[in-house]
Amino acid sequence: MTKLAPGEKPPQFVLFSFDGVGLTPNWDMFLDTAQRVDARFSALMTGLYFLTDENAGHYQGPGHPAGKAAIAFGGDKEDVLEQIGYLNRTWLAGHEMGTHYVGHFCKGSGSHGAQWTTTEWTHELNQFFSLMVNWRSNNDITAGPDLLFGPEEVKGGRTQCLEGELEQLVPAWHEFGMTWDSSKPASHAGISWPYEIDGIWEFAIPYVYSPPLGKHQTALDYNFWYTLNGAKNDPATTRRGHDIAKGTYDYMFDQAYKGNRAPLVIANHFNDWNGNAFNPATADFMTDVCGLPDTYCATYSDVTAWMELQDPEVLAGWQSLPPVAVGPV
């Protein structure tokens, strides 16, 4: 945490985040990789995983009946306890805990985030924190370790399917003391510095030129998959998916590192889509860049605190720099 003087070049931050963080061997892979290369990442928790299937009725999403969600709940009691264990491991390893909200209601699933008002987003966040705090009583679980951290650790997150209107979301975020978000698709091509909206730092999902694809691409693992083959599981294209993601991330890093040094948002899931094409690519990228000179693989809260330490005029100068990774070089 160093305040830079005018003219000094900022470090290159890389922000790895994972939506949902459900039970999967990919969680072990990233905990191990991050430990090996001294990286920190942001684990964005889905509230459904704090509930067993048989206790789904403890959740009611905005505009939906109790017990309904667009994705699966947390399984049985053993699964929920295993989830708590992984969350504790992640927090104890120094990673950031954020929210991926609860019901995963996106367009096509009835009442969804793009339609929700501040009142409905506040309700969804209330549900998230209630499920997090009351996971034992909701599931009648008395054994196993406690969750070692509480709601005060959650300072931001990512909405499901990147949905939600800022004028509705920002008041809800303030009600829960949040300071950052990484839900909004970039408004322009290329990588730029984060910006502040009414006290909330917004880390946009990048829309960049992808050399492996030869065109622009939203740099999110699901979007890579959709571009690859329409989001169909096809093991024959697993390696191609890996190379698209890794090649795009490499290009993003090279352009930012040599250019405006804007923090890189690397947004992913733990899902093993398309033969687990995308998580190994992200782990390979983490291995390659974390630890490079003047490079820090950090969390959203880390970078938010660092930006707030800087002189506002110096930060504004970086924010005014032209975007990078806009096109082929």
Side-chain angles (χ1 to χ4, degrees):
M1 290 290 172
T2 302
K3 184 175 182 177
L4 301 185
E8 286 191 271
K9 200 172 186 67
Q12 181 62 61
F13 293 109
V14 186
L15 297 97
F16 293 91
S17 58
F18 301 94
D19 294 4
V21 290
L23 297 174
T24 166
N26 286 318
W27 205 336
D28 293 287
M29 178 176 67
F30 282 109
L31 286 171
D32 293 344
T33 303
Q35 181 179 30
R36 189 173 68 250
V37 300
D38 195 22
R40 300 178 72 205
F41 60 77
S42 299
L44 310 182
M45 302 175 286
T46 293
L48 297 175
Y49 302 155
F50 289 109
L51 273 180
T52 62
D53 295 349
E54 67 178 8
N55 288 295
H58 285 289
Y59 169 64
Q60 182 171 8
H64 294 275
K68 180 180 178 183
I71 60 173
F73 283 82
D76 59 24
K77 289 184 178 182
E78 289 71 24
D79 293 324
V80 171
L81 281 168
E82 187 176 5
Q83 178 79 11
I84 296 298
Y86 269 99
L87 292 174
N88 285 341
R89 281 180 58 195
T90 303
W91 183 71
L92 289 170
H95 304 294
E96 178 172 32
M97 314 311 293
T99 181
H100 193 44
Y101 299 79
V102 192
H104 218 284
F105 294 114
C106 304
K107 185 178 180 180
S109 58
S111 174
H112 60 95
Q115 303 169 327
W116 289 352
T117 64
T118 294
T119 298
E120 289 170 316
W121 281 112
T122 300
H123 173 82
E124 179 79 348
L125 282 167
N126 268 321
Q127 293 275 282
F128 172 81
F129 288 114
S130 175
L131 295 172
M132 179 182 174
V133 170
N134 299 308
W135 68 274
R136 281 196 182 277
S137 59
N138 285 340
N139 301 295
D140 191 27
I141 293 176
T142 57
D146 291 332
L147 186 64
L148 298 179
F149 56 91
E152 70 281 355
E153 292 292 324
V154 178
K155 295 301 181 183
R158 179 170 298 122
T159 63
Q160 294 142 358
C161 301
L162 311 183
E163 290 190 350
E165 298 298 327
L166 282 174
E167 61 267 25
Q168 303 299 329
L169 282 160
V170 169
W173 291 335
H174 281 309
E175 185 162 337
F176 293 93
M178 294 190 180
T179 57
W180 62 267
D181 173 69
S182 187
S183 299
K184 303 310 293 180
S187 61
H188 57 266
I191 301 166
S192 301
W193 277 80
Y195 53 93
E196 196 173 8
I197 305 171
D198 190 20
I200 304 291
W201 286 97
E202 183 63 44
F203 295 80
I205 304 297
Y207 179 70
V208 298
Y209 180 76
S210 168
L213 292 170
K215 64 178 184 178
H216 288 90
Q217 168 71 46
T218 298
L220 185 67
D221 53 358
Y222 180 84
N223 297 71
F224 287 132
W225 186 28
Y226 191 87
T227 299
L228 174 66
N229 61 16
K232 305 289 194 303
N233 278 306
D234 178 12
T237 60
T238 296
R239 188 65 205 182
R240 174 64 176 156
H242 174 287
D243 293 348
I244 288 170
K246 178 66 161 56
T248 304
Y249 292 154
D250 287 343
Y251 176 73
M252 290 165 60
F253 179 86
D254 181 72
Q255 292 295 292
Y257 188 79
K258 295 176 180 176
N260 64 11
R261 290 286 177 95
L264 289 190
V265 172
I266 307 295
N268 283 272
H269 302 73
F270 280 165
N271 302 65
D272 58 356
W273 292 321
N274 210 58
N276 204 24
F278 307 105
N279 280 292
T282 304
D284 289 346
F285 176 70
M286 182 183 283
T287 299
D288 288 349
V289 302
C290 298
L292 289 177
D294 217 16
T295 300
Y296 299 91
C297 294
T299 70
Y300 290 102
S301 288
D302 291 334
V303 178
T304 296
W306 184 89
M307 289 190 299
E308 292 181 346
L309 177 66
Q310 306 308 311
D311 186 290
E313 291 185 1
V314 173
L315 179 60
W318 299 328
Q319 291 171 320
S320 69
L321 293 172
V324 298
V326 175
V329 294

